[in-house]
PDB file of all heavy atoms in Angstrom:
ATOM      1  N   PRO A   1     -21.012  12.241 -40.841  1.00 93.00           N
ATOM      2  CA  PRO A   1     -20.449  12.704 -39.545  1.00 93.00           C
ATOM      3  C   PRO A   1     -21.422  12.527 -38.383  1.00 93.00           C
ATOM      4  O   PRO A   1     -21.032  12.765 -37.242  1.00 93.00           O
ATOM      5  CB  PRO A   1     -20.179  14.185 -39.802  1.00 93.00           C
ATOM      6  CG  PRO A   1     -21.161  14.583 -40.851  1.00 93.00           C
ATOM      7  CD  PRO A   1     -21.340  13.381 -41.719  1.00 93.00           C
ATOM      8  N   ASP A   2     -22.646  12.093 -38.643  1.00 93.00           N
ATOM      9  CA  ASP A   2     -23.616  11.912 -37.539  1.00 93.00           C
ATOM     10  C   ASP A   2     -23.253  10.711 -36.691  1.00 93.00           C
ATOM     11  O   ASP A   2     -22.976   9.612 -37.208  1.00 93.00           O
ATOM     12  CB  ASP A   2     -25.023  11.701 -38.120  1.00 93.00           C
ATOM     13  CG  ASP A   2     -25.592  12.958 -38.738  1.00 93.00           C
ATOM     14  OD1 ASP A   2     -25.680  13.981 -38.034  1.00 93.00           O
ATOM     15  OD2 ASP A   2     -25.924  12.919 -39.934  1.00 93.00           O
ATOM     16  N   VAL A   3     -23.286  10.897 -35.391  1.00 95.00           N
ATOM     17  CA  VAL A   3     -22.990   9.829 -34.441  1.00 95.00           C
ATOM     18  C   VAL A   3     -24.287   9.017 -34.263  1.00 95.00           C
ATOM     19  O   VAL A   3     -25.160   9.338 -33.441  1.00 95.00           O
ATOM     20  CB  VAL A   3     -22.504  10.390 -33.088  1.00 95.00           C
ATOM     21  CG1 VAL A   3     -22.274   9.252 -32.093  1.00 95.00           C
ATOM     22  CG2 VAL A   3     -21.227  11.194 -33.278  1.00 95.00           C
ATOM     23  N   VAL A   4     -24.382   7.945 -35.014  1.00 95.00           N
ATOM     24  CA  VAL A   4     -25.591   7.114 -35.015  1.00 95.00           C
ATOM     25  C   VAL A   4     -25.511   5.934 -34.046  1.00 95.00           C
ATOM     26  O   VAL A   4     -26.504   5.229 -33.841  1.00 95.00           O
ATOM     27  CB  VAL A   4     -25.916   6.604 -36.435  1.00 95.00           C
ATOM     28  CG1 VAL A   4     -26.241   7.781 -37.358  1.00 95.00           C
ATOM     29  CG2 VAL A   4     -24.779   5.781 -36.993  1.00 95.00           C
ATOM     30  N   TYR A   5     -24.345   5.696 -33.498  1.00 97.00           N
ATOM     31  CA  TYR A   5     -24.127   4.563 -32.601  1.00 97.00           C
ATOM     32  C   TYR A   5     -23.489   5.065 -31.308  1.00 97.00           C
ATOM     33  O   TYR A   5     -22.327   4.825 -31.025  1.00 97.00           O
ATOM     34  CB  TYR A   5     -23.234   3.527 -33.288  1.00 97.00           C
ATOM     35  CG  TYR A   5     -23.185   2.168 -32.604  1.00 97.00           C
ATOM     36  CD1 TYR A   5     -24.324   1.381 -32.500  1.00 97.00           C
ATOM     37  CD2 TYR A   5     -21.971   1.647 -32.134  1.00 97.00           C
ATOM     38  CE1 TYR A   5     -24.278   0.129 -31.915  1.00 97.00           C
ATOM     39  CE2 TYR A   5     -21.917   0.404 -31.551  1.00 97.00           C
ATOM     40  CZ  TYR A   5     -23.061  -0.359 -31.432  1.00 97.00           C
ATOM     41  OH  TYR A   5     -23.014  -1.612 -30.855  1.00 97.00           O
ATOM     42  N   PRO A   6     -24.256   5.816 -30.504  1.00 96.00           N
ATOM     43  CA  PRO A   6     -23.696   6.395 -29.270  1.00 96.00           C
ATOM     44  C   PRO A   6     -23.347   5.313 -28.255  1.00 96.00           C
ATOM     45  O   PRO A   6     -23.719   4.139 -28.413  1.00 96.00           O
ATOM     46  CB  PRO A   6     -24.819   7.313 -28.776  1.00 96.00           C
ATOM     47  CG  PRO A   6     -26.064   6.750 -29.360  1.00 96.00           C
ATOM     48  CD  PRO A   6     -25.683   6.163 -30.683  1.00 96.00           C
ATOM     49  N   LYS A   7     -22.702   5.738 -27.205  1.00 95.00           N
ATOM     50  CA  LYS A   7     -22.224   4.805 -26.183  1.00 95.00           C
ATOM     51  C   LYS A   7     -23.364   4.003 -25.575  1.00 95.00           C
ATOM     52  O   LYS A   7     -23.210   2.790 -25.337  1.00 95.00           O
ATOM     53  CB  LYS A   7     -21.479   5.598 -25.093  1.00 95.00           C
ATOM     54  CG  LYS A   7     -20.939   4.718 -23.981  1.00 95.00           C
ATOM     55  CD  LYS A   7     -20.273   5.572 -22.910  1.00 95.00           C
ATOM     56  CE  LYS A   7     -19.769   4.713 -21.751  1.00 95.00           C
ATOM     57  NZ  LYS A   7     -19.153   5.531 -20.683  1.00 95.00           N
ATOM     58  N   GLU A   8     -24.513   4.630 -25.324  1.00 96.00           N
ATOM     59  CA  GLU A   8     -25.637   3.916 -24.725  1.00 96.00           C
ATOM     60  C   GLU A   8     -26.126   2.783 -25.613  1.00 96.00           C
ATOM     61  O   GLU A   8     -26.431   1.683 -25.137  1.00 96.00           O
ATOM     62  CB  GLU A   8     -26.789   4.891 -24.443  1.00 96.00           C
ATOM     63  CG  GLU A   8     -26.507   5.930 -23.379  1.00 96.00           C
ATOM     64  CD  GLU A   8     -25.711   7.117 -23.941  1.00 96.00           C
ATOM     65  OE1 GLU A   8     -25.449   7.131 -25.162  1.00 96.00           O
ATOM     66  OE2 GLU A   8     -25.367   8.007 -23.151  1.00 96.00           O
ATOM     67  N   THR A   9     -26.187   3.048 -26.933  1.00 97.00           N
ATOM     68  CA  THR A   9     -26.610   2.008 -27.852  1.00 97.00           C
ATOM     69  C   THR A   9     -25.595   0.887 -27.924  1.00 97.00           C
ATOM     70  O   THR A   9     -25.953  -0.303 -27.986  1.00 97.00           O
ATOM     71  CB  THR A   9     -26.858   2.591 -29.254  1.00 97.00           C
ATOM     72  OG1 THR A   9     -27.801   3.648 -29.173  1.00 97.00           O
ATOM     73  CG2 THR A   9     -27.371   1.540 -30.227  1.00 97.00           C
ATOM     74  N   ALA A  10     -24.308   1.226 -27.900  1.00 97.00           N
ATOM     75  CA  ALA A  10     -23.262   0.223 -27.931  1.00 97.00           C
ATOM     76  C   ALA A  10     -23.344  -0.706 -26.730  1.00 97.00           C
ATOM     77  O   ALA A  10     -23.243  -1.931 -26.857  1.00 97.00           O
ATOM     78  CB  ALA A  10     -21.902   0.891 -27.999  1.00 97.00           C
ATOM     79  N   GLU A  11     -23.572  -0.137 -25.552  1.00 97.00           N
ATOM     80  CA  GLU A  11     -23.695  -0.969 -24.353  1.00 97.00           C
ATOM     81  C   GLU A  11     -24.929  -1.837 -24.407  1.00 97.00           C
ATOM     82  O   GLU A  11     -24.904  -3.016 -23.975  1.00 97.00           O
ATOM     83  CB  GLU A  11     -23.747  -0.065 -23.132  1.00 97.00           C
ATOM     84  CG  GLU A  11     -22.436   0.668 -22.851  1.00 97.00           C
ATOM     85  CD  GLU A  11     -22.561   1.639 -21.682  1.00 97.00           C
ATOM     86  OE1 GLU A  11     -23.720   1.876 -21.221  1.00 97.00           O
ATOM     87  OE2 GLU A  11     -21.546   2.173 -21.231  1.00 97.00           O
ATOM     88  N   LEU A  12     -26.041  -1.318 -24.952  1.00 97.00           N
ATOM     89  CA  LEU A  12     -27.260  -2.076 -25.073  1.00 97.00           C
ATOM     90  C   LEU A  12     -27.068  -3.260 -26.037  1.00 97.00           C
ATOM     91  O   LEU A  12     -27.462  -4.409 -25.735  1.00 97.00           O
ATOM     92  CB  LEU A  12     -28.383  -1.172 -25.579  1.00 97.00           C
ATOM     93  CG  LEU A  12     -29.747  -1.813 -25.830  1.00 97.00           C
ATOM     94  CD1 LEU A  12     -30.341  -2.366 -24.549  1.00 97.00           C
ATOM     95  CD2 LEU A  12     -30.713  -0.798 -26.478  1.00 97.00           C
ATOM     96  N   VAL A  13     -26.447  -2.996 -27.182  1.00 97.00           N
ATOM     97  CA  VAL A  13     -26.218  -4.059 -28.168  1.00 97.00           C
ATOM     98  C   VAL A  13     -25.308  -5.121 -27.612  1.00 97.00           C
ATOM     99  O   VAL A  13     -25.534  -6.339 -27.808  1.00 97.00           O
ATOM    100  CB  VAL A  13     -25.662  -3.453 -29.463  1.00 97.00           C
ATOM    101  CG1 VAL A  13     -25.126  -4.542 -30.378  1.00 97.00           C
ATOM    102  CG2 VAL A  13     -26.731  -2.635 -30.176  1.00 97.00           C
ATOM    103  N   GLU A  14     -24.271  -4.743 -26.910  1.00 96.00           N
ATOM    104  CA  GLU A  14     -23.344  -5.720 -26.284  1.00 96.00           C
ATOM    105  C   GLU A  14     -24.117  -6.615 -25.322  1.00 96.00           C
ATOM    106  O   GLU A  14     -23.930  -7.859 -25.335  1.00 96.00           O
ATOM    107  CB  GLU A  14     -22.229  -4.995 -25.547  1.00 96.00           C
ATOM    108  CG  GLU A  14     -21.231  -4.271 -26.429  1.00 96.00           C
ATOM    109  CD  GLU A  14     -20.190  -5.202 -27.020  1.00 96.00           C
ATOM    110  OE1 GLU A  14     -20.217  -6.410 -26.690  1.00 96.00           O
ATOM    111  OE2 GLU A  14     -19.367  -4.743 -27.822  1.00 96.00           O
ATOM    112  N   ALA A  15     -24.951  -6.041 -24.481  1.00 97.00           N
ATOM    113  CA  ALA A  15     -25.687  -6.845 -23.510  1.00 97.00           C
ATOM    114  C   ALA A  15     -26.665  -7.799 -24.191  1.00 97.00           C
ATOM    115  O   ALA A  15     -26.800  -8.965 -23.772  1.00 97.00           O
ATOM    116  CB  ALA A  15     -26.437  -5.920 -22.543  1.00 97.00           C
ATOM    117  N   LEU A  16     -27.333  -7.351 -25.230  1.00 97.00           N
ATOM    118  CA  LEU A  16     -28.305  -8.189 -25.917  1.00 97.00           C
ATOM    119  C   LEU A  16     -27.626  -9.304 -26.692  1.00 97.00           C
ATOM    120  O   LEU A  16     -28.190 -10.407 -26.842  1.00 97.00           O
ATOM    121  CB  LEU A  16     -29.176  -7.335 -26.843  1.00 97.00           C
ATOM    122  CG  LEU A  16     -30.120  -6.374 -26.136  1.00 97.00           C
ATOM    123  CD1 LEU A  16     -30.789  -5.457 -27.143  1.00 97.00           C
ATOM    124  CD2 LEU A  16     -31.191  -7.141 -25.348  1.00 97.00           C
ATOM    125  N   CYS A  17     -26.442  -9.070 -27.192  1.00 96.00           N
ATOM    126  CA  CYS A  17     -25.687 -10.130 -27.865  1.00 96.00           C
ATOM    127  C   CYS A  17     -25.337 -11.242 -26.897  1.00 96.00           C
ATOM    128  O   CYS A  17     -25.405 -12.422 -27.244  1.00 96.00           O
ATOM    129  CB  CYS A  17     -24.402  -9.552 -28.501  1.00 96.00           C
ATOM    130  SG  CYS A  17     -24.663  -8.657 -30.028  1.00 96.00           S
ATOM    131  N   ARG A  18     -24.939 -10.886 -25.702  1.00 95.00           N
ATOM    132  CA  ARG A  18     -24.660 -11.895 -24.691  1.00 95.00           C
ATOM    133  C   ARG A  18     -25.942 -12.645 -24.290  1.00 95.00           C
ATOM    134  O   ARG A  18     -25.926 -13.833 -24.037  1.00 95.00           O
ATOM    135  CB  ARG A  18     -24.026 -11.278 -23.469  1.00 95.00           C
ATOM    136  CG  ARG A  18     -22.656 -10.680 -23.728  1.00 95.00           C
ATOM    137  CD  ARG A  18     -21.958 -10.313 -22.407  1.00 95.00           C
ATOM    138  NE  ARG A  18     -22.686  -9.308 -21.642  1.00 95.00           N
ATOM    139  CZ  ARG A  18     -22.507  -7.994 -21.760  1.00 95.00           C
ATOM    140  NH1 ARG A  18     -21.612  -7.533 -22.638  1.00 95.00           N
ATOM    141  NH2 ARG A  18     -23.196  -7.151 -21.031  1.00 95.00           N
ATOM    142  N   ARG A  19     -27.039 -11.934 -24.239  1.00 96.00           N
ATOM    143  CA  ARG A  19     -28.305 -12.516 -23.828  1.00 96.00           C
ATOM    144  C   ARG A  19     -28.859 -13.461 -24.888  1.00 96.00           C
ATOM    145  O   ARG A  19     -29.390 -14.533 -24.562  1.00 96.00           O
ATOM    146  CB  ARG A  19     -29.297 -11.385 -23.564  1.00 96.00           C
ATOM    147  CG  ARG A  19     -30.757 -11.802 -23.374  1.00 96.00           C
ATOM    148  CD  ARG A  19     -31.021 -12.135 -21.945  1.00 96.00           C
ATOM    149  NE  ARG A  19     -32.445 -12.253 -21.709  1.00 96.00           N
ATOM    150  CZ  ARG A  19     -33.151 -13.377 -21.865  1.00 96.00           C
ATOM    151  NH1 ARG A  19     -32.553 -14.475 -22.280  1.00 96.00           N
ATOM    152  NH2 ARG A  19     -34.447 -13.404 -21.607  1.00 96.00           N
ATOM    153  N   TYR A  20     -28.773 -13.065 -26.155  1.00 96.00           N
ATOM    154  CA  TYR A  20     -29.440 -13.805 -27.244  1.00 96.00           C
ATOM    155  C   TYR A  20     -28.484 -14.554 -28.166  1.00 96.00           C
ATOM    156  O   TYR A  20     -28.905 -15.006 -29.227  1.00 96.00           O
ATOM    157  CB  TYR A  20     -30.274 -12.827 -28.055  1.00 96.00           C
ATOM    158  CG  TYR A  20     -31.583 -12.449 -27.398  1.00 96.00           C
ATOM    159  CD1 TYR A  20     -31.716 -11.244 -26.711  1.00 96.00           C
ATOM    160  CD2 TYR A  20     -32.683 -13.298 -27.441  1.00 96.00           C
ATOM    161  CE1 TYR A  20     -32.913 -10.891 -26.108  1.00 96.00           C
ATOM    162  CE2 TYR A  20     -33.892 -12.960 -26.841  1.00 96.00           C
ATOM    163  CZ  TYR A  20     -33.999 -11.751 -26.178  1.00 96.00           C
ATOM    164  OH  TYR A  20     -35.170 -11.418 -25.583  1.00 96.00           O
ATOM    165  N   ALA A  21     -27.227 -14.670 -27.807  1.00 95.00           N
ATOM    166  CA  ALA A  21     -26.239 -15.405 -28.647  1.00 95.00           C
ATOM    167  C   ALA A  21     -26.183 -14.809 -30.044  1.00 95.00           C
ATOM    168  O   ALA A  21     -26.112 -15.515 -31.051  1.00 95.00           O
ATOM    169  CB  ALA A  21     -26.608 -16.887 -28.723  1.00 95.00           C
ATOM    170  N   GLY A  22     -26.208 -13.478 -30.117  1.00 95.00           N
ATOM    171  CA  GLY A  22     -26.225 -12.802 -31.408  1.00 95.00           C
ATOM    172  C   GLY A  22     -24.915 -12.165 -31.780  1.00 95.00           C
ATOM    173  O   GLY A  22     -23.944 -12.174 -31.012  1.00 95.00           O
ATOM    174  N   THR A  23     -24.862 -11.607 -32.969  1.00 95.00           N
ATOM    175  CA  THR A  23     -23.703 -10.812 -33.415  1.00 95.00           C
ATOM    176  C   THR A  23     -24.124  -9.351 -33.434  1.00 95.00           C
ATOM    177  O   THR A  23     -25.285  -9.001 -33.696  1.00 95.00           O
ATOM    178  CB  THR A  23     -23.245 -11.247 -34.828  1.00 95.00           C
ATOM    179  OG1 THR A  23     -24.330 -11.041 -35.756  1.00 95.00           O
ATOM    180  CG2 THR A  23     -22.852 -12.707 -34.849  1.00 95.00           C
ATOM    181  N   ARG A  24     -23.154  -8.492 -33.155  1.00 96.00           N
ATOM    182  CA  ARG A  24     -23.464  -7.072 -33.058  1.00 96.00           C
ATOM    183  C   ARG A  24     -23.987  -6.486 -34.364  1.00 96.00           C
ATOM    184  O   ARG A  24     -24.895  -5.648 -34.354  1.00 96.00           O
ATOM    185  CB  ARG A  24     -22.224  -6.320 -32.592  1.00 96.00           C
ATOM    186  CG  ARG A  24     -21.952  -6.454 -31.104  1.00 96.00           C
ATOM    187  CD  ARG A  24     -20.667  -5.765 -30.696  1.00 96.00           C
ATOM    188  NE  ARG A  24     -19.499  -6.498 -31.140  1.00 96.00           N
ATOM    189  CZ  ARG A  24     -18.261  -6.151 -30.854  1.00 96.00           C
ATOM    190  NH1 ARG A  24     -18.019  -5.098 -30.114  1.00 96.00           N
ATOM    191  NH2 ARG A  24     -17.245  -6.896 -31.280  1.00 96.00           N
ATOM    192  N   SER A  25     -23.480  -6.954 -35.479  1.00 94.00           N
ATOM    193  CA  SER A  25     -23.914  -6.374 -36.763  1.00 94.00           C
ATOM    194  C   SER A  25     -25.389  -6.686 -37.045  1.00 94.00           C
ATOM    195  O   SER A  25     -26.104  -5.883 -37.645  1.00 94.00           O
ATOM    196  CB  SER A  25     -23.052  -6.901 -37.913  1.00 94.00           C
ATOM    197  OG  SER A  25     -23.045  -8.308 -37.948  1.00 94.00           O
ATOM    198  N   ASP A  26     -25.877  -7.857 -36.575  1.00 94.00           N
ATOM    199  CA  ASP A  26     -27.289  -8.198 -36.764  1.00 94.00           C
ATOM    200  C   ASP A  26     -28.176  -7.257 -35.943  1.00 94.00           C
ATOM    201  O   ASP A  26     -29.231  -6.824 -36.405  1.00 94.00           O
ATOM    202  CB  ASP A  26     -27.553  -9.627 -36.338  1.00 94.00           C
ATOM    203  CG  ASP A  26     -27.024 -10.639 -37.363  1.00 94.00           C
ATOM    204  OD1 ASP A  26     -26.820 -10.246 -38.516  1.00 94.00           O
ATOM    205  OD2 ASP A  26     -26.801 -11.809 -37.006  1.00 94.00           O
ATOM    206  N   LEU A  27     -27.748  -6.950 -34.722  1.00 95.00           N
ATOM    207  CA  LEU A  27     -28.549  -6.050 -33.891  1.00 95.00           C
ATOM    208  C   LEU A  27     -28.445  -4.612 -34.358  1.00 95.00           C
ATOM    209  O   LEU A  27     -29.415  -3.850 -34.260  1.00 95.00           O
ATOM    210  CB  LEU A  27     -28.089  -6.165 -32.429  1.00 95.00           C
ATOM    211  CG  LEU A  27     -28.656  -7.392 -31.694  1.00 95.00           C
ATOM    212  CD1 LEU A  27     -27.979  -7.559 -30.363  1.00 95.00           C
ATOM    213  CD2 LEU A  27     -30.140  -7.240 -31.495  1.00 95.00           C
ATOM    214  N   ILE A  28     -27.286  -4.208 -34.843  1.00 96.00           N
ATOM    215  CA  ILE A  28     -27.120  -2.852 -35.364  1.00 96.00           C
ATOM    216  C   ILE A  28     -28.027  -2.614 -36.549  1.00 96.00           C
ATOM    217  O   ILE A  28     -28.557  -1.509 -36.743  1.00 96.00           O
ATOM    218  CB  ILE A  28     -25.641  -2.609 -35.722  1.00 96.00           C
ATOM    219  CG1 ILE A  28     -24.796  -2.514 -34.436  1.00 96.00           C
ATOM    220  CG2 ILE A  28     -25.482  -1.329 -36.557  1.00 96.00           C
ATOM    221  CD1 ILE A  28     -23.314  -2.473 -34.678  1.00 96.00           C
ATOM    222  N   ARG A  29     -28.266  -3.638 -37.319  1.00 91.00           N
ATOM    223  CA  ARG A  29     -29.189  -3.541 -38.466  1.00 91.00           C
ATOM    224  C   ARG A  29     -30.600  -3.141 -38.001  1.00 91.00           C
ATOM    225  O   ARG A  29     -31.294  -2.375 -38.669  1.00 91.00           O
ATOM    226  CB  ARG A  29     -29.241  -4.896 -39.166  1.00 91.00           C
ATOM    227  CG  ARG A  29     -30.261  -5.028 -40.272  1.00 91.00           C
ATOM    228  CD  ARG A  29     -30.449  -6.484 -40.630  1.00 91.00           C
ATOM    229  NE  ARG A  29     -30.885  -7.260 -39.475  1.00 91.00           N
ATOM    230  CZ  ARG A  29     -30.705  -8.547 -39.335  1.00 91.00           C
ATOM    231  NH1 ARG A  29     -30.071  -9.247 -40.259  1.00 91.00           N
ATOM    232  NH2 ARG A  29     -31.136  -9.170 -38.247  1.00 91.00           N
ATOM    233  N   SER A  30     -31.015  -3.650 -36.823  1.00 90.00           N
ATOM    234  CA  SER A  30     -32.315  -3.252 -36.286  1.00 90.00           C
ATOM    235  C   SER A  30     -32.255  -1.910 -35.552  1.00 90.00           C
ATOM    236  O   SER A  30     -33.257  -1.177 -35.544  1.00 90.00           O
ATOM    237  CB  SER A  30     -32.803  -4.344 -35.305  1.00 90.00           C
ATOM    238  OG  SER A  30     -32.990  -5.575 -35.959  1.00 90.00           O
ATOM    239  N   ALA A  31     -31.121  -1.632 -34.928  1.00 94.00           N
ATOM    240  CA  ALA A  31     -31.041  -0.430 -34.105  1.00 94.00           C
ATOM    241  C   ALA A  31     -30.865   0.850 -34.934  1.00 94.00           C
ATOM    242  O   ALA A  31     -31.321   1.915 -34.503  1.00 94.00           O
ATOM    243  CB  ALA A  31     -29.868  -0.574 -33.123  1.00 94.00           C
ATOM    244  N   ILE A  32     -30.193   0.761 -36.080  1.00 95.00           N
ATOM    245  CA  ILE A  32     -29.898   1.950 -36.858  1.00 95.00           C
ATOM    246  C   ILE A  32     -30.548   1.825 -38.248  1.00 95.00           C
ATOM    247  O   ILE A  32     -30.247   0.892 -38.996  1.00 95.00           O
ATOM    248  CB  ILE A  32     -28.385   2.138 -37.041  1.00 95.00           C
ATOM    249  CG1 ILE A  32     -27.687   2.149 -35.699  1.00 95.00           C
ATOM    250  CG2 ILE A  32     -28.071   3.431 -37.782  1.00 95.00           C
ATOM    251  CD1 ILE A  32     -26.171   2.201 -35.777  1.00 95.00           C
ATOM    252  N   PRO A  33     -31.456   2.729 -38.620  1.00 93.00           N
ATOM    253  CA  PRO A  33     -32.065   2.646 -39.956  1.00 93.00           C
ATOM    254  C   PRO A  33     -31.015   2.881 -41.049  1.00 93.00           C
ATOM    255  O   PRO A  33     -29.965   3.463 -40.812  1.00 93.00           O
ATOM    256  CB  PRO A  33     -33.085   3.797 -39.943  1.00 93.00           C
ATOM    257  CG  PRO A  33     -33.267   4.164 -38.516  1.00 93.00           C
ATOM    258  CD  PRO A  33     -31.975   3.842 -37.807  1.00 93.00           C
ATOM    259  N   ALA A  34     -31.349   2.406 -42.227  1.00 90.00           N
ATOM    260  CA  ALA A  34     -30.465   2.627 -43.389  1.00 90.00           C
ATOM    261  C   ALA A  34     -30.311   4.117 -43.662  1.00 90.00           C
ATOM    262  O   ALA A  34     -31.253   4.896 -43.540  1.00 90.00           O
ATOM    263  CB  ALA A  34     -31.042   1.930 -44.617  1.00 90.00           C
ATOM    264  N   ARG A  35     -29.079   4.511 -43.987  1.00 89.00           N
ATOM    265  CA  ARG A  35     -28.806   5.933 -44.197  1.00 89.00           C
ATOM    266  C   ARG A  35     -29.499   6.433 -45.452  1.00 89.00           C
ATOM    267  O   ARG A  35     -29.616   5.725 -46.450  1.00 89.00           O
ATOM    268  CB  ARG A  35     -27.309   6.156 -44.333  1.00 89.00           C
ATOM    269  CG  ARG A  35     -26.917   7.592 -44.658  1.00 89.00           C
ATOM    270  CD  ARG A  35     -25.432   7.758 -44.768  1.00 89.00           C
ATOM    271  NE  ARG A  35     -25.079   9.144 -45.146  1.00 89.00           N
ATOM    272  CZ  ARG A  35     -24.809   9.521 -46.384  1.00 89.00           C
ATOM    273  NH1 ARG A  35     -24.856   8.647 -47.371  1.00 89.00           N
ATOM    274  NH2 ARG A  35     -24.537  10.794 -46.666  1.00 89.00           N
ATOM    275  N   HIS A  36     -29.971   7.675 -45.377  1.00 86.00           N
ATOM    276  CA  HIS A  36     -30.571   8.345 -46.541  1.00 86.00           C
ATOM    277  C   HIS A  36     -29.993   9.747 -46.589  1.00 86.00           C
ATOM    278  O   HIS A  36     -30.197  10.547 -45.668  1.00 86.00           O
ATOM    279  CB  HIS A  36     -32.097   8.385 -46.428  1.00 86.00           C
ATOM    280  CG  HIS A  36     -32.771   8.747 -47.699  1.00 86.00           C
ATOM    281  ND1 HIS A  36     -32.767  10.033 -48.219  1.00 86.00           N
ATOM    282  CD2 HIS A  36     -33.472   7.985 -48.582  1.00 86.00           C
ATOM    283  CE1 HIS A  36     -33.447  10.051 -49.340  1.00 86.00           C
ATOM    284  NE2 HIS A  36     -33.898   8.820 -49.598  1.00 86.00           N
TER     285      HIS A  36
END
């Protein structure tokens, strides 16, 4: 139930994908640690 991908992170990832020709899932892998 933890909100690990807040609106600010979503906007940041979207902008970086446009900047670096990336996919959101690749950046989310760096932005959010693996759940424990």
